[in-house]
DNA sequence: AACGTTTCATGAATCGTTTCATCAGAGGGC
DNA sequence: GCCCTCTGATGAAACGATTCATGAAACGTT
């Protein structure tokens, strides 16, 4: 900037005013300055600007796992909302580790981000929650925390999924839930239970499986249900990844979906409409979550107000993975299932290439 | 920092030396300073430090589409490699737009990142390539560019995929390629052609479809092949997303995979082993790409050297989507395919939830 | 006692911006 | 000619860290 100033024969102050489009600058000088800027290919140093302005025009986003398609979508949504608002975004990935998460949080603070959006991995009461900058939690909410929250109406979604299956005639259900300490998981489960108990249905203990939201939990859940030998005709999964894993396990066990067993997922990630059968699932509007979160973080509530809580509507998308009740899952010990329970490893060959 | 200094009764210089663990500081003073730091919950301002040090300990990564599972994995790999090297990562998403990409590039430069890793959307000769900081291109390489490159051995992968199918007995192939201006797409195609021409096989024009790497290109490709009416028995896709889309289209057209038609993908994204049938595909080691890229960017070549090029080996993972040749794709006009060509829209219902 | 070394602490300059107080000059009104 | 106002440009002081030259004390050696 100093170089630009000397080249244009003005002071740095004037260059600054040209760059920022402030008034009170002689048109002739302005063009001289612009010329110098072009010639020197000058670009303002955002770090110095941040230091002086004490705002970085940057938001931080911390997510548990970028590899999860749901969060990948969330990143996209938040980034474009932030961009629209004139902010840039730093994404950090905690890899489901509380420690990494805390590290990222601190680093983002050190980086002077103007606000933070986070989808926490863990509930930590003593999380070093940045009181200094606005902060909103998405998807999952922290217990006893004072941060604003935006999430989908997980409970209503769960209820709708359950009601849909009940309406199709199902009576014996299996449920795959997420990590119990996450509110998303609890809310979805509560929704399932709501919908089922309205029809006086209870789910027996062995037909509940608590895992994480990933593919393998779906497979593990189904393995457990088969062990239980109760032959449920429908599976309520708490994420599409779980549902796809469950689907995989059903097929491996020789169970036809939806003819024998119905499955419903949650989230509506892109691949949900590509698997066979296409997944019936609860779709949430990720772009709405992203833009509301950015809204909240950028328009902080006045000090005294209570924490804000935005709950966004979801919808049920009925595709091909649900139908009238069939024969249900097989029991362990059936030759059919015993023979084909986990063929994954055995059927995969890996060939190095010279 | 000044506050810490006055509270501990020392100068800011001393505080700085304590914080950075520099020698020549009296143990007694040091403990006073540490106490003050704790009491004031002082955290160093990374922005000021960057300004002074002229390095941010930060790397930038620009990718075309975070929603693509391949890039999501890449982000994870690069981030953990960067973290291991003591750097943090800013990820930017160009959403497949050259303009956004340029914007992000500039913004990262303004942010004084110490190095840049990019998977460019477009080949722009006059891309404002940052000569000022080290920069490496991953996955795709720019034509005529001077940046270092790390990528998988796409050509060998393509060849292996083709040879695998030839070996199974296939003679009539269809190929789905990626955007022709991307070197990844060209290399994979060249590999397919290598493998096929070794067996004296040529692919007729109507059985080549050039799309992007996403799901829908796979579906569109199969639609075109069916129109062509040549009944190929195997499909070589240039990405797993394409392969999954193609698989979807086959199933919708009543074609059994792999009984009627074999499909092989490329990348080995996580969901590739979950769809039915599990995808035979070329697996690349994304974590290797990530760590090599970080290596290169952090250890810049001396000025005079030629551009470096790292090509990583791939392997062929044989799963369930390939088998001996079957009846092949149906022709357009077959009642079977006509009736069931695009049922997607018709079979999906969306229910709002009160 | 004079001198040289070593060990620590200090203060000031610096990084590249923004912004505020100041000031020079032009123009108008009397 | 004097005073006032207004426009536009300047220089210097921040912002929060690092670092370098300087200097003060302590200690050995001669």
């Amino acid at each position: 900037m100093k170089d630009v100033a000397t080249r244009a024969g003005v002071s740095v102050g004037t260059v600054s005013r040209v760059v920022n489009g402030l008034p009170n600058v002689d048109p002739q000088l302005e063009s001289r300055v612009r010329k110098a800027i072009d010639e020197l290919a000058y670009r303002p140093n955002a770090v110095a600007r941040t230091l002086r302005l004490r705002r970085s025009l940057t938001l931080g986003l911390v997510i548990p796992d970028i590899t999860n398609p749901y969060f990948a979508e969330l990143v996209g949504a938040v980034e474009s909302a932030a961009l629209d608002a004139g902010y840039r975004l730093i994404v950090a990935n905690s890899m489901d580790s509380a420690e990494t998460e805390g590290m990222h949080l601190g680093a983002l603070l050190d980086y002077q981000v103007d606000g933070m959006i986070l989808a926490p991995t863990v509930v930590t009461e003593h999380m070093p929650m940045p009181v200094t900058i606005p902060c909103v939690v998405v998807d999952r909410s922290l217990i006893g925390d004072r941060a604003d929250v935006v999430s989908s109406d997980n409970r209503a979604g769960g209820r709708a999924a359950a009601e849909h299956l009940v309406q199709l005639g199902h009576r014996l259900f299996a449920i795959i839930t997420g990590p119990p300490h996450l509110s998303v998981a609890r809310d979805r489960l509560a929704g399932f239970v709501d919908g089922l108990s309205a029809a006086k249905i209870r789910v027996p203990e062995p037909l509940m499986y608590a895992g994480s939201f990933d593919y393998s939990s779906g497979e593990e859940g189904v393995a457990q249900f088969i062990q239980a030998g109760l032959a449920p005709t429908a599976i309520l999964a708490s994420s599409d990844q779980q549902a796809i894993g469950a689907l995989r396990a059903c097929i491996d066990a020789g169970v036809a979906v939806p003819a024998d067993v119905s499955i419903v997922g949650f989230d509506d990630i892109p691949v949900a409409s590509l698997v066979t059968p296409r997944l019936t699932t609860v779709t949430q509007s990720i772009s709405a979550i992203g833009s509301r979160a950015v809204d909240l973080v950028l328009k902080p509530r006045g000090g005294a107000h209570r924490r804000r809580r935005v709950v966004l509507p979801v919808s049920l998308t009925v595709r091909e993975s649900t139908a009238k009740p069939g024969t249900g899952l097989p029991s362990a010990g059936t030759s059919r299932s015993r023979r084909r329970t986990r063929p994954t490893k055995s059927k995969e060959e890996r060939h190095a290439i010279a």
Side-chain angles (χ1 to χ4, degrees), chain A residues 1 16 20 42 45 49 52-53:
Chain A
M1 185 152 173
S16 174
N20 296 38
Y42 161 79
N45 180 323
R49 199 205 297 265
R52 174 66 228 235
L53 252 27

Short mmCIF file of all heavy atoms in Angstrom, two decimals, chain A residues 1 16 20 42 45 49 52-53, chain C residues 14-21:
data_model
loop_
_atom_site.label_atom_id
_atom_site.label_comp_id
_atom_site.label_asym_id
_atom_site.label_seq_id
_atom_site.Cartn_x
_atom_site.Cartn_y
_atom_site.Cartn_z
N MET A 1 0.83 -1.20 0.00
CA MET A 1 0.00 0.00 0.00
C MET A 1 0.86 1.24 0.00
O MET A 1 0.58 2.22 -0.67
CB MET A 1 -0.86 0.00 1.27
CG MET A 1 -1.85 1.13 1.33
SD MET A 1 -3.25 0.58 2.31
CE MET A 1 -4.15 2.12 2.42
N SER A 16 -6.07 4.27 0.92
CA SER A 16 -7.06 3.54 1.70
C SER A 16 -8.47 4.01 1.34
O SER A 16 -9.37 3.20 1.14
CB SER A 16 -6.79 3.75 3.19
OG SER A 16 -7.82 3.17 3.95
N ASN A 20 -11.42 1.66 -0.34
CA ASN A 20 -12.68 1.42 0.36
C ASN A 20 -13.83 2.24 -0.18
O ASN A 20 -14.92 2.23 0.40
CB ASN A 20 -12.52 1.70 1.85
CG ASN A 20 -11.54 0.74 2.48
OD1 ASN A 20 -10.52 0.39 1.86
ND2 ASN A 20 -11.82 0.27 3.66
N TYR A 42 -1.61 -4.68 -6.86
CA TYR A 42 -1.74 -4.60 -5.40
C TYR A 42 -3.02 -5.28 -4.92
O TYR A 42 -4.08 -5.11 -5.52
CB TYR A 42 -1.74 -3.13 -4.97
CG TYR A 42 -2.31 -2.90 -3.60
CD1 TYR A 42 -1.55 -3.15 -2.47
CD2 TYR A 42 -3.62 -2.43 -3.45
CE1 TYR A 42 -2.08 -2.93 -1.21
CE2 TYR A 42 -4.15 -2.20 -2.19
CZ TYR A 42 -3.38 -2.47 -1.08
OH TYR A 42 -3.90 -2.25 0.16
N ASN A 45 -4.05 -6.47 2.18
CA ASN A 45 -3.74 -7.55 3.11
C ASN A 45 -4.87 -7.71 4.12
O ASN A 45 -5.06 -6.87 4.99
CB ASN A 45 -2.42 -7.23 3.79
CG ASN A 45 -2.01 -8.29 4.78
OD1 ASN A 45 -2.85 -8.86 5.46
ND2 ASN A 45 -0.73 -8.55 4.85
N ARG A 49 -5.94 -5.75 7.77
CA ARG A 49 -7.24 -5.12 7.87
C ARG A 49 -8.00 -5.68 9.08
O ARG A 49 -8.62 -4.94 9.85
CB ARG A 49 -8.03 -5.38 6.58
CG ARG A 49 -9.19 -4.41 6.41
CD ARG A 49 -10.25 -5.01 5.53
NE ARG A 49 -9.81 -5.29 4.18
CZ ARG A 49 -9.99 -4.45 3.17
NH1 ARG A 49 -10.56 -3.29 3.36
NH2 ARG A 49 -9.59 -4.79 1.97
N ARG A 52 -6.67 -4.29 12.35
CA ARG A 52 -7.07 -2.91 12.62
C ARG A 52 -8.58 -2.82 12.90
O ARG A 52 -9.02 -2.18 13.85
CB ARG A 52 -6.70 -2.06 11.40
CG ARG A 52 -7.16 -0.63 11.44
CD ARG A 52 -6.46 0.13 12.55
NE ARG A 52 -7.42 0.88 13.33
CZ ARG A 52 -7.36 2.18 13.55
NH1 ARG A 52 -6.35 2.87 13.11
NH2 ARG A 52 -8.28 2.79 14.23
N LEU A 53 -9.36 -3.47 12.05
CA LEU A 53 -10.82 -3.33 12.14
C LEU A 53 -11.40 -4.13 13.29
O LEU A 53 -12.53 -3.90 13.71
CB LEU A 53 -11.44 -3.81 10.83
CG LEU A 53 -12.01 -2.77 9.90
CD1 LEU A 53 -11.31 -1.45 10.10
CD2 LEU A 53 -11.85 -3.23 8.47
P DT C 14 11.31 0.86 11.78
OP1 DT C 14 12.44 0.78 10.83
OP2 DT C 14 10.46 2.07 11.84
"O5'" DT C 14 10.37 -0.40 11.51
"C5'" DT C 14 10.93 -1.71 11.48
"C4'" DT C 14 9.81 -2.71 11.50
"O4'" DT C 14 9.19 -2.74 12.79
"C3'" DT C 14 8.68 -2.42 10.51
"O3'" DT C 14 8.75 -3.35 9.45
"C2'" DT C 14 7.41 -2.57 11.32
"C1'" DT C 14 7.88 -3.22 12.61
N1 DT C 14 7.10 -2.87 13.82
C2 DT C 14 6.64 -3.90 14.61
O2 DT C 14 6.83 -5.06 14.36
N3 DT C 14 5.93 -3.49 15.70
C4 DT C 14 5.65 -2.19 16.08
O4 DT C 14 5.00 -1.96 17.09
C5 DT C 14 6.17 -1.17 15.22
C7 DT C 14 5.92 0.26 15.53
C6 DT C 14 6.86 -1.55 14.13
P DC C 15 8.08 -2.95 8.02
OP1 DC C 15 9.10 -3.23 7.00
OP2 DC C 15 7.45 -1.61 8.10
"O5'" DC C 15 6.91 -4.02 7.87
"C5'" DC C 15 7.14 -5.40 8.12
"C4'" DC C 15 5.81 -6.05 8.43
"O4'" DC C 15 5.50 -5.85 9.81
"C3'" DC C 15 4.66 -5.42 7.66
"O3'" DC C 15 4.41 -6.18 6.49
"C2'" DC C 15 3.49 -5.51 8.63
"C1'" DC C 15 4.11 -5.83 9.98
N1 DC C 15 3.82 -4.86 11.07
C2 DC C 15 3.38 -5.31 12.31
O2 DC C 15 3.23 -6.52 12.48
N3 DC C 15 3.13 -4.41 13.30
C4 DC C 15 3.32 -3.10 13.07
N4 DC C 15 3.07 -2.26 14.07
C5 DC C 15 3.77 -2.62 11.81
C6 DC C 15 4.01 -3.53 10.84
P DG C 16 4.22 -5.35 5.12
OP1 DG C 16 4.36 -6.30 4.01
OP2 DG C 16 5.05 -4.14 5.16
"O5'" DG C 16 2.70 -4.89 5.19
"C5'" DG C 16 1.71 -5.90 5.12
"C4'" DG C 16 0.37 -5.25 5.32
"O4'" DG C 16 0.32 -4.66 6.63
"C3'" DG C 16 0.05 -4.12 4.35
"O3'" DG C 16 -1.29 -4.27 3.96
"C2'" DG C 16 0.27 -2.86 5.17
"C1'" DG C 16 -0.15 -3.34 6.54
N9 DG C 16 0.43 -2.62 7.66
C8 DG C 16 1.67 -2.02 7.72
N7 DG C 16 1.91 -1.45 8.87
C5 DG C 16 0.77 -1.69 9.62
C6 DG C 16 0.45 -1.31 10.95
O6 DG C 16 1.14 -0.67 11.75
N1 DG C 16 -0.82 -1.74 11.33
C2 DG C 16 -1.66 -2.45 10.51
N2 DG C 16 -2.84 -2.79 11.03
N3 DG C 16 -1.37 -2.81 9.27
C4 DG C 16 -0.15 -2.40 8.89
P DT C 17 -1.97 -3.48 2.80
OP1 DT C 17 -2.14 -4.38 1.68
OP2 DT C 17 -1.27 -2.20 2.63
"O5'" DT C 17 -3.41 -3.25 3.42
"C5'" DT C 17 -3.78 -1.98 3.90
"C4'" DT C 17 -4.54 -2.15 5.16
"O4'" DT C 17 -3.61 -2.10 6.24
"C3'" DT C 17 -5.53 -1.04 5.41
"O3'" DT C 17 -6.83 -1.53 5.09
"C2'" DT C 17 -5.42 -0.74 6.89
"C1'" DT C 17 -4.14 -1.40 7.34
N1 DT C 17 -3.09 -0.47 7.82
C2 DT C 17 -3.21 0.05 9.08
O2 DT C 17 -4.13 -0.20 9.83
N3 DT C 17 -2.19 0.88 9.46
C4 DT C 17 -1.09 1.24 8.70
O4 DT C 17 -0.23 1.99 9.14
C5 DT C 17 -1.04 0.66 7.38
C7 DT C 17 0.12 0.99 6.49
C6 DT C 17 -2.02 -0.15 7.00
P DT C 18 -7.97 -0.44 4.81
OP1 DT C 18 -9.17 -1.18 4.45
OP2 DT C 18 -7.42 0.58 3.89
"O5'" DT C 18 -8.20 0.26 6.23
"C5'" DT C 18 -8.95 -0.44 7.20
"C4'" DT C 18 -9.09 0.43 8.43
"O4'" DT C 18 -7.80 0.94 8.83
"C3'" DT C 18 -9.99 1.66 8.25
"O3'" DT C 18 -10.78 1.74 9.41
"C2'" DT C 18 -9.01 2.81 8.14
"C1'" DT C 18 -7.88 2.33 9.04
N1 DT C 18 -6.50 2.85 8.79
C2 DT C 18 -5.80 3.38 9.83
O2 DT C 18 -6.25 3.48 10.95
N3 DT C 18 -4.52 3.79 9.51
C4 DT C 18 -3.90 3.72 8.28
O4 DT C 18 -2.76 4.11 8.13
C5 DT C 18 -4.71 3.16 7.22
C7 DT C 18 -4.14 3.04 5.85
C6 DT C 18 -5.96 2.75 7.51
P DT C 19 -12.14 2.60 9.42
OP1 DT C 19 -13.11 1.85 10.25
OP2 DT C 19 -12.46 3.02 8.06
"O5'" DT C 19 -11.71 3.89 10.26
"C5'" DT C 19 -11.05 3.68 11.49
"C4'" DT C 19 -10.55 5.01 12.04
"O4'" DT C 19 -9.22 5.29 11.55
"C3'" DT C 19 -11.38 6.23 11.64
"O3'" DT C 19 -11.38 7.10 12.75
"C2'" DT C 19 -10.60 6.84 10.49
"C1'" DT C 19 -9.19 6.59 11.01
N1 DT C 19 -8.10 6.62 10.00
C2 DT C 19 -6.84 6.96 10.42
O2 DT C 19 -6.57 7.22 11.57
N3 DT C 19 -5.89 6.95 9.42
C4 DT C 19 -6.10 6.66 8.08
O4 DT C 19 -5.17 6.69 7.29
C5 DT C 19 -7.45 6.33 7.72
C7 DT C 19 -7.78 6.01 6.30
C6 DT C 19 -8.39 6.32 8.68
P DC C 20 -12.68 7.93 13.16
OP1 DC C 20 -13.66 6.98 13.70
OP2 DC C 20 -13.03 8.82 12.03
"O5'" DC C 20 -12.11 8.83 14.33
"C5'" DC C 20 -10.88 8.45 14.97
"C4'" DC C 20 -9.96 9.65 15.07
"O4'" DC C 20 -9.00 9.62 13.98
"C3'" DC C 20 -10.69 10.99 14.95
"O3'" DC C 20 -10.15 11.91 15.87
"C2'" DC C 20 -10.42 11.41 13.52
"C1'" DC C 20 -9.01 10.86 13.32
N1 DC C 20 -8.65 10.62 11.90
C2 DC C 20 -7.32 10.72 11.48
O2 DC C 20 -6.45 11.02 12.31
N3 DC C 20 -7.02 10.50 10.18
C4 DC C 20 -7.98 10.19 9.32
N4 DC C 20 -7.64 9.98 8.04
C5 DC C 20 -9.35 10.07 9.71
C6 DC C 20 -9.64 10.30 11.00
P DA C 21 -11.01 13.17 16.29
OP1 DA C 21 -11.65 12.87 17.58
OP2 DA C 21 -11.83 13.65 15.16
"O5'" DA C 21 -9.83 14.21 16.52
"C5'" DA C 21 -8.56 13.72 16.96
"C4'" DA C 21 -7.45 14.55 16.33
"O4'" DA C 21 -7.24 14.12 14.96
"C3'" DA C 21 -7.73 16.04 16.28
"O3'" DA C 21 -6.52 16.74 16.58
"C2'" DA C 21 -8.17 16.28 14.83
"C1'" DA C 21 -7.30 15.25 14.10
N9 DA C 21 -7.83 14.79 12.83
C8 DA C 21 -9.13 14.46 12.55
N7 DA C 21 -9.32 14.07 11.31
C5 DA C 21 -8.06 14.14 10.74
C6 DA C 21 -7.59 13.86 9.45
N6 DA C 21 -8.36 13.41 8.45
N1 DA C 21 -6.28 14.04 9.20
C2 DA C 21 -5.50 14.49 10.20
N3 DA C 21 -5.82 14.78 11.46
C4 DA C 21 -7.14 14.59 11.66
#
